[in-house]
Amino acid sequence: MGNVFTKALLTDFSIQWLLFLIAAYLRTEKFYDLAGSSTFILLALQSLLSTSRFFPRQVIQTCLVSTWAIRLGLFLFIRVMQAGKDSRFNKVRGNPKLFFIYWTVQGLWVFVTLLPTLILNAKHKDKPLGYRDYAGWGLWLAGMLIESIADFQKYNFRQNSDNHDKWISTGLWSVVRFPNYLGEMLLWTGLYLSASSTFKGWEHASVISPVFVIWLLSRLSGIPILERQNLKRWKDNAEFMQYFRNTYRLIPYVY
């Protein structure tokens, strides 16, 4: 198993740091998200092939990771190409040191998030599928649908020129302010839940995967950045402030 982790770490950070050099030279973030999603696919497949066991649980887990990565990676790449830039990087792309930190954090995100999948795919013995597997895959499906629908709704909203300089507050976005992030958190929680049906002892520590995703999106790179940008842009707009105060961030009636 240690060999799987070592290969994953070396591959992961080699990709991020090599592409950082290109991105820093070109001063562009256009392939940042695509690089991250592609690394997910590569590491998942690399770990699956490491033992050549191809147990059903391993194959399904790898396929679910890859499906999510392909969908999100292509969506974000198309979006940034159409927009011409990603506002998250407005103060980053011209600062090599800060830009390097972003690429390094992406490498950390990929590795930590994939830990349950890496542990699962490194196993030489399998267990029969059980309720935890089906519950986990059901949670992944729910999260995938929420994230995909939310992204689709926001994309269509922005394609309408009448919505220029407006915020989306319809569809899933009328229920919570960040439904796409809610979907992301749910699907990775589901993947950990399924994979953990084979775990023993220290392997359960890979619960850090969904915990890290939740922390990253809710406390560091997702919601905090977008909320600051939104408040700076529309803090004097009474309608937006009403939406901001009356709509939950992530979980209806809870948070």
Side-chain angles (χ1 to χ4, degrees):
M1 189 173 291
N3 190 41
V4 171
F5 288 166
T6 301
K7 284 184 178 180
L9 274 172
L10 290 174
T11 302
D12 180 14
F13 284 98
S14 294
I15 292 172
Q16 307 313 315
W17 290 338
L18 175 61
L19 291 178
F20 155 72
L21 295 175
I22 299 172
Y25 177 77
L26 298 175
R27 291 196 173 190
T28 182
E29 71 283 3
K30 290 182 179 177
F31 51 84
Y32 178 83
D33 290 310
L34 188 61
S37 60
S38 299
T39 308
F40 270 100
I41 298 171
L42 180 59
L43 297 190
L45 290 174
Q46 178 180 269
S47 64
L48 180 65
L49 295 171
S50 65
T51 60
S52 300
R53 298 290 178 176
F54 306 117
F55 297 128
R57 185 183 286 105
Q58 295 175 328
V59 174
I60 292 172
Q61 180 94 355
T62 302
C63 286
L64 295 183
V65 169
S66 300
T67 299
W68 164 83
I70 292 170
R71 203 278 319 168
L72 185 62
L74 288 177
F75 170 76
L76 294 176
F77 182 66
I78 291 171
R79 188 180 70 177
V80 75
M81 293 303 291
Q82 289 181 340
K85 65 176 182 178
D86 186 332
S87 60
R88 294 176 299 169
F89 293 84
N90 286 345
K91 297 181 180 180
V92 177
R93 68 178 70 88
N95 185 333
K97 291 182 179 179
L98 187 56
F99 208 10
F100 175 75
I101 292 174
Y102 269 62
W103 281 92
T104 301
V105 169
Q106 174 158 267
L108 181 64
W109 167 60
V110 171
F111 182 77
V112 173
T113 304
L114 267 182
L115 274 176
T117 303
L118 296 176
I119 294 172
L120 172 64
N121 285 351
K123 288 186 172 294
H124 294 270
K125 294 182 180 181
D126 196 23
K127 289 183 178 181
L129 298 178
Y131 72 91
R132 197 186 300 182
D133 296 291
Y134 300 117
W137 296 335
L139 199 56
W140 177 90
L141 180 60
M144 184 71 174
L145 287 173
I146 291 171
E147 183 179 55
S148 301
I149 292 171
D151 283 343
F152 179 74
Q153 290 175 340
K154 192 170 186 178
Y155 178 81
N156 282 343
F157 179 84
R158 287 179 169 174
Q159 291 299 107
N160 187 340
S161 59
D162 293 337
N163 294 326
H164 177 68
D165 200 34
K166 293 182 180 180
W167 62 94
I168 182 171
S169 58
T170 56
L172 294 179
W173 301 84
S174 67
V175 182
V176 293
R177 297 204 307 273
F178 300 97
N180 53 335
Y181 291 154
L182 172 61
E184 182 91 353
M185 295 171 186
L186 288 176
L187 68 88
W188 286 112
T189 301
L191 289 177
Y192 164 76
L193 184 61
S194 174
S196 69
S197 60
T198 67
F199 290 173
K200 296 179 181 178
W202 68 269
E203 294 169 348
H204 288 285
S206 64
V207 71
I208 192 176
S209 166
V211 171
F212 182 71
V213 170
I214 293 170
W215 173 79
L216 190 67
L217 294 178
S218 64
R219 299 297 181 185
L220 185 63
S221 70
I223 292 175
I225 293 176
L226 291 176
E227 283 196 335
R228 284 196 299 269
Q229 291 176 347
N230 291 344
L231 287 172
K232 182 178 180 180
R233 190 174 183 181
W234 293 304
K235 65 180 179 180
D236 296 324
N237 188 303
E239 290 185 17
F240 172 77
M241 293 308 298
Q242 182 179 12
Y243 169 74
F244 182 83
R245 295 190 185 100
N246 297 337
T247 309
Y248 289 90
R249 276 191 179 97
L250 283 171
I251 306 173
Y253 309 109
V254 178
Y255 174 73

